[in-house]
Amino acid sequence: PSSSAGLSGASIEADPDALVRRVAQPDADPERILLVVRRIEDGAVLLARWSDAPQPMLLSLDAPHPDEGFAEAIALLVGSRFAMTAGTPRLHAERLPVRMRHPAKGSETTGFLRVAAVEVSGEPAPDGALAGIEALAPDEAARALSTDLERRALALGLALLG
């Protein structure tokens, strides 16, 4: 039974290098990453608070360029926004369809949000662009998010982290 649980857990994870290679193609569908950040020390989910938004949000980023790499892009974002050290990020296999602007064509199109998750360590300190960082238990974080899409992303990210 434990081996079947391991297999089902592995099936939700995608190869981040494949994502990086795919989005570098000029005709690729646009993809953006929503990042679930969980602190190792206490299991708190860390959400960004922006001065112009009433509720905290997941961090997000463009899919990284192949020269940058997936793990490096996540580590840079977590380090710059939260001043924390990131572990090894994981990417969920599910793609969440959303309307977004195509980066190469400029027109509105269907793109995809991908969920990545990473565990971090240390005490968060927001960069100058953030109004603050919320550290919440997972169920509180789900209630604090403003959209069903973000709540779905949170659930997928937490499933990746186990």
Side-chain angles (χ1 to χ4, degrees):
S2 63
S3 63
S4 65
L7 291 176
S8 66
S11 67
I12 66 170
E13 193 165 350
D15 175 12
D17 292 333
L19 167 69
V20 171
R21 286 190 304 273
R22 183 175 55 252
V23 298
Q25 303 303 313
D27 60 342
D29 292 325
E31 295 197 38
R32 190 154 174 82
I33 297 169
L34 286 176
L35 182 60
V36 174
V37 179
R38 184 172 70 186
R39 187 166 48 196
I40 292 171
E41 290 86 351
D42 60 5
V45 173
L46 304 179
L47 301 175
R49 184 167 287 284
W50 301 90
S51 60
D52 62 348
Q55 292 179 277
M57 303 175 187
L58 297 171
L59 286 178
S60 66
L61 67 152
D62 290 328
H65 188 275
D67 290 343
E68 182 178 25
F70 179 76
E72 293 80 4
I74 300 295
L76 181 64
L77 180 68
V78 169
S80 64
R81 290 284 184 219
F82 288 176
M84 299 183 82
T85 302
T88 302
R90 300 172 76 181
L91 181 68
H92 203 284
E94 188 170 339
R95 298 166 74 198
L96 305 172
V98 294
R99 296 294 299 165
M100 65 174 56
R101 184 166 300 283
H102 194 287
K105 301 172 185 170
S107 58
E108 286 287 317
T109 186
T110 298
F112 297 92
L113 292 176
R114 297 296 296 266
V115 177
V118 66
E119 289 188 310
V120 298
S121 59
E123 191 58 37
D127 73 356
L130 292 178
I133 299 168
E134 301 280 336
L136 303 169
D139 59 331
E140 293 172 334
R143 285 191 299 273
L145 294 170
S146 63
T147 67
D148 288 340
L149 182 67
E150 279 188 298
R151 286 186 282 279
R152 173 78 177 138
L154 175 63
L156 294 175
L158 292 173
L160 273 174
L161 295 173

